Amino acid sequence: MTFDGGNGLISSARAHFVLVPMMAQGHTIPMTDMARLLAEHGAQVSFITTPGNASRLAGFATDVETAGLAVRLVELRFPSAEFGLPDGCENIDMIQSMGLFVNFMEACAALREPLMAHLREQQPSPPSCIISDMMHWWTGDIARELHIPRLTFTGFCGFSSLVRHILSQNNLLENITHENELITIPGFPTQLELPKAKLPGSLTIPGMDKIGKKMIEEELKCDGEILNSFQELETLYIESFEQVRRKKVWTIGPMCLCHRDSNTMALRGNNSSMDEAQCLRWLDSMKTGSVIFVSFGSLAATTPQQLVELGLGLEASKKPFIWVIKAGAKFPEVEEWLADGFQERVKNRCMIIRGWAPQVMILWHQAIGGFVTHCGWNSTIEGICAGMPMITWPHFAEQFLNEKLVVDVLKTGLEVGVKGVTQWGNEQQEVMVTRNAVETAVCTLMGEGEAAEELRMRAKDYAIKARRAFGEEGSSYNNVRLLIQEMGKKTNACG
Ligand code: UDP
């Protein structure tokens, strides 16, 4: 018999979840939160990774160990060389050209045998359930062989998940040749229309067709879906998604709320590229709600021209800001431009972070009053939890849908007005947002006008709702418990 972390008796065998995240920051990070969350609620977790990714997860590993949580990191050797990838290329953010994406996906699929072998050894505590990133379609075979349920995690919110489902079920993108052709999403509960290029799935990666089909097939076969969202945020879309999927959709988010202190927040995803204490000191010295935080996630590669335009817009706004820049070695001209007067001109009100920022730690600091985001779902939900009004600046994938949710449904953000898509791996030289647009958006959001006040009020309200959903007896809290109970029962029935 085991107890669920002191909260009561759950079952005679502890539910054992196997988490298989895609190796990309935006996919792995929420799954580290998921691992922590499941373990805090009394489950046992095996977290599948590779040696190269495990080094980024060192902070997470220490953190769960210190907290005494039943989370085990399982390292499987990643067959980079066998699939024509450079040695050590074990994460999507390390892929140097789009031509290697399929190689990467095939190398992932080759983890099937070693993972199967590992899971077969897990006696007498066999896994109860696999929670797999949708991109790891091959985990479907493992779940069937072991006779255990497989739940899918896409990392999307309910709104975007529903659009993605409708698009794929109706093959809506297939016969449309023009990138700018408007597509109305049929059967969506509210009116929604976007050009093809701004919809997920519009990016054509050589050789990905077959793999994409397998991903969708396996998703349709899976036993349920996990969403990093909460019922009260997007009820209509979550319910519609559950109806069309005809399977249980478990909303257990916002999972980032499992972090309660700045130490664990700072360890999220990777080692920060700056001293966190110094960052906190700087933030402590700023007025409440005065600083705007600008960050475009882990993959979006903003071009040098666009970065300069953004920097000049921030300068012209005269507001304090933290700007995360990932151009690094890829665009040395950005560094030259920063050093050539820009940094000097803004030095009293700006902090530039080159590389990895402790994003949640920053967002949740009282000095931050607004967030310029690329609308990756993790960043968006982290912003929602922080009660942040946002300036939306989507680049690619489902980010344009998340923008619609934030701006049109939640009404907690305003669009900066990007002209087009900055496709991952195929960045154009074109400037999508002018310095004037940046200045106007920042001044509006951080200003005292009525519209900004309303955005701030609504944003605060959603942050409260998020905490209620995640907190004891909230909708997400109850869902985590039910999920563990349900999977625990299956373990007992099998055992
Ligand atoms: N992130 C971070 N520091 C950075 C960049 C990103 O902590 O410098 C985290 C961010 O908090 C979020 C994740 O990385 O949890 C990025 O996921 P998201 O879905 O927002 O965007 P993606 O990187 O997948 O485009």
Side-chain angles (χ1 to χ4, degrees):
M1 292 267 181
T2 55
F3 291 84
D4 61 346
N7 292 326
L9 191 63
I10 49 168
S11 65
S12 54
R14 200 176 195 184
H16 175 188
F17 289 84
V18 178
L19 269 49
V20 194
M22 174 41 74
M23 301 80 118
Q25 296 291 48
H27 293 240
T28 302
I29 292 173
M31 275 199 149
T32 58
D33 291 347
M34 192 189 293
R36 176 178 250 282
L37 182 61
L38 291 168
E40 278 182 352
H41 279 264
Q44 186 185 330
V45 177
S46 294
F47 191 94
I48 309 304
T49 188
T50 68
N53 289 292
S55 61
R56 300 187 192 193
L57 294 167
F60 163 68
T62 313
D63 177 30
V64 285
E65 195 185 335
T66 313
L69 296 171
V71 177
R72 185 154 59 116
L73 253 66
V74 177
E75 288 182 35
L76 303 177
R77 190 187 74 82
F78 193 70
S80 318
E82 290 93 314
F83 289 87
L85 294 162
D87 196 28
C89 177
E90 299 186 11
N91 194 293
I92 289 187
D93 63 17
M94 298 168 98
I95 301 175
Q96 293 299 329
S97 84
M98 286 296 250
L100 290 175
F101 193 79
V102 167
N103 304 47
F104 185 84
M105 291 300 293
E106 284 169 352
C108 288
L111 295 176
R112 177 177 24 207
E113 293 314 319
L115 179 55
M116 189 69 210
H118 170 80
L119 296 180
R120 282 201 189 286
E121 284 163 17
Q122 301 305 297
Q123 303 295 344
S125 174
S128 332
C129 162
I130 295 180
I131 303 183
S132 169
D133 191 290
M134 61 151 174
M135 294 174 83
H136 293 313
W137 56 270
W138 46 272
T139 53
D141 290 341
I142 299 183
R144 282 184 288 276
E145 268 191 69
L146 293 178
H147 303 289
I148 56 172
R150 173 180 178 267
L151 308 178
T152 314
F153 178 66
T154 61
F156 281 34
C157 62
F159 185 95
S160 306
S161 297
L162 180 59
V163 174
R164 192 172 151 263
H165 175 87
I166 296 173
L167 289 176
S168 76
Q169 291 308 292
N170 297 285
N171 290 326
L172 287 183
L173 300 181
E174 252 170 40
N175 300 322
I176 297 186
T177 45
H178 204 285
E179 293 296 294
N180 291 327
E181 186 171 338
L182 278 178
I183 301 182
T184 304
I185 311 300
F188 200 67
T190 47
Q191 173 67 23
L192 184 66
E193 197 177 59
L194 278 140
K196 179 183 177 188
K198 293 186 175 175
L199 288 164
S202 63
L203 172 65
T204 34
I205 302 179
M208 265 303 283
D209 278 13
K210 241 166 87 186
I211 298 177
K213 283 204 179 93
K214 281 188 184 150
M215 275 162 34
I216 288 171
E217 264 168 43
E218 285 295 348
E219 243 185 295
L220 292 173
K221 282 188 211 159
C222 81
D223 301 281
E225 311 240 2
I226 306 268
L227 288 189
N228 184 14
S229 186
F230 58 101
Q231 200 69 33
E232 296 77 1
L233 183 74
E234 38 163 2
T235 318
L236 180 60
Y237 307 103
I238 292 167
E239 282 177 0
S240 306
F241 181 53
E242 194 160 37
Q243 267 168 25
V244 294
R245 275 295 211 224
R246 293 201 210 97
K247 58 186 65 164
K248 177 78 186 156
V249 172
W250 301 92
T251 48
I252 61 168
M255 296 191 287
C256 58
L257 285 176
C258 68
H259 297 276
R260 291 170 205 97
D261 68 74
S262 56
N263 287 336
T264 74
M265 284 176 207
L267 293 173
R268 234 168 142 248
N270 211 341
N271 297 323
S272 303
S273 308
M274 60 140 358
D275 178 30
E276 288 112 22
Q278 188 197 338
C279 179
L280 284 175
R281 272 198 302 279
W282 187 85
L283 283 165
D284 287 344
S285 73
M286 306 307 281
K287 278 199 206 133
T288 300
S290 66
V291 180
I292 185 120
F293 178 58
V294 187
S295 178
F296 293 151
S298 65
L299 285 178
T302 317
T303 59
Q305 297 88 320
Q306 183 62 81
L307 285 169
V308 169
E309 218 42 37
L310 166 56
L312 292 173
L314 291 170
E315 181 183 355
S317 77
K318 302 196 174 56
K319 307 288 179 205
F321 61 94
I322 294 186
W323 184 11
V324 186
I325 303 181
K326 293 203 166 47
K330 196 170 172 194
F331 299 130
E333 60 269 46
V334 174
E335 248 344 289
E336 282 166 29
W337 175 78
L338 290 169
D340 188 20
F342 178 80
Q343 283 188 108
E344 184 55 29
R345 295 197 299 277
V346 294
K347 69 173 181 222
N348 293 327
R349 61 182 171 93
C350 143
M351 174 181 283
I352 294 179
I353 301 178
R354 295 167 170 84
W356 194 255
Q359 177 161 310
V360 169
M361 185 194 89
I362 294 173
L363 271 178
W364 295 3
H365 193 281
Q366 61 188 19
I368 303 293
F371 182 19
V372 182
T373 174
H374 73 308
C375 300
W377 180 245
N378 297 296
S379 296
T380 308
I381 193 97
E382 287 156 16
I384 289 170
C385 292
M388 272 306 121
M390 301 186 224
I391 292 175
T392 57
W393 185 320
H395 284 60
F396 62 91
E398 98 284 14
Q399 295 159 10
F400 289 90
L401 295 171
N402 297 338
E403 172 179 67
K404 289 273 173 216
L405 177 69
V406 169
V407 175
D408 297 342
V409 180
L410 306 178
K411 299 191 169 65
T412 57
L414 49 94
E415 292 180 15
V416 78
V418 293
K419 277 195 274 171
V421 179
T422 306
Q423 206 59 270
W424 172 68
N426 188 19
E427 292 81 19
Q428 306 296 317
Q429 296 310 302
E430 204 186 335
V431 165
M432 294 296 174
V433 180
T434 63
R435 66 189 78 172
N436 289 343
V438 174
E439 182 190 352
T440 308
V442 172
C443 290
T444 308
L445 192 86
M446 302 300 279
E448 270 145 34
E450 204 178 314
E453 267 317 317
E454 279 179 14
L455 290 177
R456 278 193 280 272
M457 265 171 44
R458 276 193 290 268
K460 288 217 166 68
D461 194 40
Y462 279 115
I464 294 170
K465 288 191 171 119
R467 280 177 167 70
R468 267 194 212 127
F470 192 80
E472 211 156 317
E473 299 308 326
S475 56
S476 292
Y477 177 96
N478 288 338
N479 278 341
V480 178
R481 292 179 66 87
L482 278 173
L483 173 66
I484 294 175
Q485 261 173 34
E486 193 155 308
M487 297 307 146
K489 269 190 229 146
K490 289 194 203 298
T491 313
N492 290 332
C494 296

